[in-house]
């Protein structure tokens, strides 16, 4: 057997056969559109539509979102197991990706097809019922998609590159998520109906073109006062008259129709551009047997490196998922004194900054992953994140509103590093499992890992809704929330993520798969079943 230094060389130098073509990396990255809009857009937009516009309590919304977790527990397991056991001429992942992506795009706008005069309990059951339809569709897409990422290459560092591509491309749909609040509260939705939606869209397009023209002129002439005004009115989407209220529900329906159409085309792109590297060699030729649904959950959790990484991710997920809701309410009701439209505009700029800083975080943490390994780089990610969340106490302030943009940028900078490294580390875990069991079970790990991560995010979202109710937040008070409610939102925004990150660090320190260890595992696997 070769020495550790020799074994590590292939992982570090990335031989030609280990490299994934750019077209496949791009195709895989397109799937981030569905991950962002199919999984996370609804959780944020639901509070804006159902709470702020329709008056449903945050507690009822949080309970409905928690019900989503039950559906995902079933359907993620089903589609993870199903795709592991599927055999077609297109592979075992890509057929599910194609069907699920198209159906998800068609289903997204249905999530907000409600009326303005329903009761609170009717809205609750509609949310539960519509999520009962969306969840299996998203599981059909996402479990095979996540599995595909784990099997694109056997190389230690190339895996990090693949997830770097995915996270970099993810920044574009992330901006659309932050722009949702500004779009749905734009002045064109005041008094709007479905009959005049085309006219209102045309108005928005005109405002956007004019805004970009002024922006370019302002930058060219260094006209700072003009640029300052433009920053406060996102894309030129003018607010309604004083005292008027936009139809946020209609705005959300139009917005999700547009995004749903994009999802359909992105899903077709994933299907056409990606390939399944492990399928022919390890599944078809070796005639890998069927994997039981019991193995999808039970045997997966029996893998020690996986347990360590998933509990690390659970601590991270629970802590940071509360930032979305609490951060939005801190922006609107503390920084902007209840001005929903202004909060929506700042939300977009926070998203744009998040995109830039998230992109910057990818090469930053990729560099450290190559130099010091994924585990130490992940420790660096979490230490930086702890500092960023503590700083929210000072960065969310009505006296200097733009500082909240810095806070969002710091969160995105560390978040992109976390998700890039976590995906790459999971691919390493699956290699360790293959050495132990003799089977490739990407779908099982995708299903189990995804559900536990969603558990963390769901608990975080549920906790945010319950916290807002407990501390005395009431949407009917607008900008006149009690001092106690505002204080509690701020202190919990700064402290809860830190607690989650400390828990994550405790588990991360115990993760056993270093670069040296992965070189040894790859050598043993290739000696047993050949290269892929």
């Amino acid at each position: 057997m070769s020495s550790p230094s020799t074994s590590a060389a292939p992982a570090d130098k990335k031989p030609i056969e280990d490299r994934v073509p750019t077209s496949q990396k791009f195709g895989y990255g397109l799937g981030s559109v569905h991950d962002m809009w199919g999984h996370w857009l609804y959780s944020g937009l639901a509070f804006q539509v159902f709470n702020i516009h329709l008056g449903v309590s945050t507690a009822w919304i949080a309970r409905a979102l928690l019900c989503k977790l039950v559906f995902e527990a079933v359907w993620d397991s089903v589609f993870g197991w199903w795709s592991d056991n599927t055999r077609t001429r297109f592979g075992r992942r890509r057929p599910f990706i194609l069907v699920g992506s198209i159906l998800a795009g068609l289903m997204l706008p249905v999530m907000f097809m409600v009326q303005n005069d329903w009761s609170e309990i009717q809205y609750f059951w509609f949310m539960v019922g519509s999520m009962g339809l969306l969840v299996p569709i998203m599981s059909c897409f996402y479990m095979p998609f996540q599995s595909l990422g784990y099997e694109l290459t056997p190389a230690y560092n190339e895996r990090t590159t693949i997830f770097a591509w995915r996270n970099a491309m993810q920044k574009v749909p992330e901006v659309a998520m932050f722009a949702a609040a500004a779009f749905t509260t734009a002045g064109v939705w005041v008094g709007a109906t479905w009959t005049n939606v085309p006219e209102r869209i045309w108005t928005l397009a005109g405002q956007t073109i004019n805004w970009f023209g002024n922006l370019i002129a302002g930058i060219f002439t260094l006209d700072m006062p003009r640029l300052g005004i433009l920053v406060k009115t996102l894309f030129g989407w003018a607010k309604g008259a004083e005292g008027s209220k936009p139809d946020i529900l209609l705005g959300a329906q139009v917005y999700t129709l547009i995004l749903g159409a994009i999802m359909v085309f992105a899903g077709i792109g994933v299907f056409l551009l990606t390939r399944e590297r492990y399928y022919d060699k390890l599944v078809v030729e070796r005639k890998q047997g069927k994997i039981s649904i019991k193995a999808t959950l039970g045997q997966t959790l029996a893998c020690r490196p996986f347990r360590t990484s998933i509990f690390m991710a659970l601590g991270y997920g629970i802590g940071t998922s509360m930032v979305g809701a609490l951060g939005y309410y801190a922006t609107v009701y503390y920084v902007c004194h209840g001005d929903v439209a202004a909060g929506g505009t700042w939300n977009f700029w926070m998203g744009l900054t998040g995109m830039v800083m998230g992109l910057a975080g990818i090469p930053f943490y990729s560099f450290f992953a190559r130099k010091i390994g994924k585990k130490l780089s992940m420790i660096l990610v979490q230490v930086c994140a702890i500092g960023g969340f503590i700083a929210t106490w000072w960065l969310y302030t009505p006296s200097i509103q733009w500082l909240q943009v810095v806070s969002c940028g710091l969160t995105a900078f560390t978040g992109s590093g976390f998700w890039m490294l976590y995906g790459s580390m999971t691919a390493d875990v699956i290699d360790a499992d293959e050495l132990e069991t003799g089977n490739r079970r990407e779908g099982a790990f995708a299903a189990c890992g995804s559900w536990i991560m969603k558990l963390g995010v769901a608990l975080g979202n549920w906790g945010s809704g319950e916290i807002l109710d407990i501390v005395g937040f009431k949407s009917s008070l607008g900008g006149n929330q009690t001092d106690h409610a505002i204080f509690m939102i701020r202190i919990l925004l700064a402290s809860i993520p830190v607690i989650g990150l400390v828990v994550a660090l405790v588990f991360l320190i115990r993760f056993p798969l270093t670069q040296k260890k992965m070189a040894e595992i790859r050598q043993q696997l290739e000696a047993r079943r050949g290269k892929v």
Side-chain angles (χ1 to χ4, degrees), residues 438-486:
N439 289 322
R440 294 296 301 186
R441 302 186 301 124
E442 289 90 353
F445 282 94
C448 192
S450 176
W451 185 80
I452 292 177
M453 277 305 305
K454 288 171 184 174
L455 170 65
V457 173
L459 288 174
N461 286 331
W462 168 74
S464 295
E466 295 290 352
I467 284 169
L468 288 167
D469 204 48
I470 291 170
V471 303
F473 172 84
K474 297 184 183 300
S475 60
S476 58
L477 295 177
N480 299 313
Q481 304 295 324
T482 65
D483 292 340
H484 172 73
I486 294 297

Side-chain angles (χ1 to χ4, degrees), residues 196-462:
N196 57 30
V197 161
E199 173 191 334
R200 303 303 172 103
I201 291 291
W202 185 254
T203 299
L204 277 178
Q207 292 173 350
T208 304
I209 293 170
N210 184 61
W211 185 84
F212 272 108
N214 281 315
L215 180 68
I216 293 171
I219 293 173
F220 184 75
T221 60
L222 297 180
D223 189 343
M224 295 304 165
R226 180 197 285 189
L227 292 175
I229 294 172
L230 292 172
V231 167
K232 295 179 180 178
T233 309
L234 174 64
F235 292 152
W237 296 342
K239 299 179 182 179
E242 187 70 27
S244 63
K245 291 186 177 181
D247 189 338
I248 294 177
L249 174 60
L250 180 60
Q253 291 169 344
V254 173
Y255 198 62
T256 50
L257 274 171
I258 296 170
L259 299 189
I262 296 172
M263 288 170 68
V264 170
F265 289 104
I268 295 172
V270 177
F271 175 78
L272 294 176
L273 293 173
T274 57
R275 295 293 180 267
E276 299 183 27
R277 180 169 186 151
Y278 283 68
Y279 181 66
D280 291 333
K281 181 79 173 180
L282 301 187
V283 178
V284 177
E285 290 183 14
R286 290 173 58 194
K287 297 182 180 179
Q288 177 172 299
K290 300 292 184 180
I291 297 170
S292 71
I293 198 164
K294 177 182 178 181
T296 299
L297 295 176
Q299 291 181 18
T300 303
L301 286 173
C303 177
R304 178 176 171 268
F306 179 69
R307 288 201 309 273
T308 304
S309 67
I310 199 61
F311 285 124
M312 171 203 70
L314 186 61
Y316 181 92
I318 292 176
T320 59
S321 61
M322 289 193 176
V323 174
L326 293 179
Y328 176 74
Y329 281 81
T331 293
V332 173
Y333 295 99
Y334 175 59
V335 177
C336 298
H337 304 291
D339 187 335
V340 177
T345 299
W346 278 115
N347 224 38
F348 172 80
W349 289 114
M350 291 162 77
L352 187 62
T353 304
M355 181 186 74
V356 174
M357 292 297 291
L359 285 171
I362 291 169
F364 179 83
Y365 292 112
S366 292
F367 171 80
F368 282 100
R370 291 191 300 271
K371 295 298 181 182
I372 62 177
K374 300 172 192 177
K375 179 177 177 177
L376 290 177
S377 297
M378 185 66 94
I379 291 174
L380 177 62
V381 165
Q382 298 191 26
V383 170
C384 291
I386 288 172
F389 283 116
I390 291 174
T392 61
W393 178 260
W394 296 278
L395 295 176
Y396 279 80
T397 171
S399 58
I400 312 177
Q401 294 187 350
W402 61 265
L403 284 178
Q404 64 188 328
V405 174
V406 176
S407 176
C408 187
L410 292 174
T411 301
F413 185 80
T414 55
S416 63
F418 177 88
W419 292 114
M420 174 188 67
L421 293 170
Y422 174 69
S424 185
M425 290 165 70
T426 303
D428 295 340
V429 167
I430 294 169
D431 277 0
D433 178 72
E434 184 192 351
L435 185 63
E436 180 72 23
T437 67
N439 289 322
R440 294 296 301 186
R441 302 186 301 124
E442 289 90 353
F445 282 94
C448 192
S450 176
W451 185 80
I452 292 177
M453 277 305 305
K454 288 171 184 174
L455 170 65
V457 173
L459 288 174
N461 286 331
W462 168 74

Side-chain angles (χ1 to χ4, degrees), residues 6-42:
T6 303
S7 299
D12 193 39
K13 294 180 180 178
K14 285 196 300 190
I16 295 297
E17 63 269 19
D18 287 347
R19 295 176 186 171
V20 178
T22 301
S23 60
Q24 285 201 53
K25 291 173 183 172
F26 176 80
Y28 184 68
L30 283 175
S32 62
V33 168
H34 292 76
D35 186 18
M36 289 292 98
W37 300 344
H39 280 141
W40 312 119
L41 175 72
Y42 183 76

Side-chain angles (χ1 to χ4, degrees), residues 156 303-309 375 425 428-429 432 507-518 520-521:
Y156 182 82
C303 177
R304 178 176 171 268
F306 179 69
R307 288 201 309 273
T308 304
S309 67
K375 179 177 177 177
M425 290 165 70
D428 295 340
V429 167
F507 284 101
L508 173 60
I509 290 170
R510 302 175 61 189
F511 187 71
L513 301 181
T514 62
Q515 183 168 357
K516 176 183 175 182
K517 180 65 176 177
M518 288 310 303
E520 295 171 355
I521 289 174

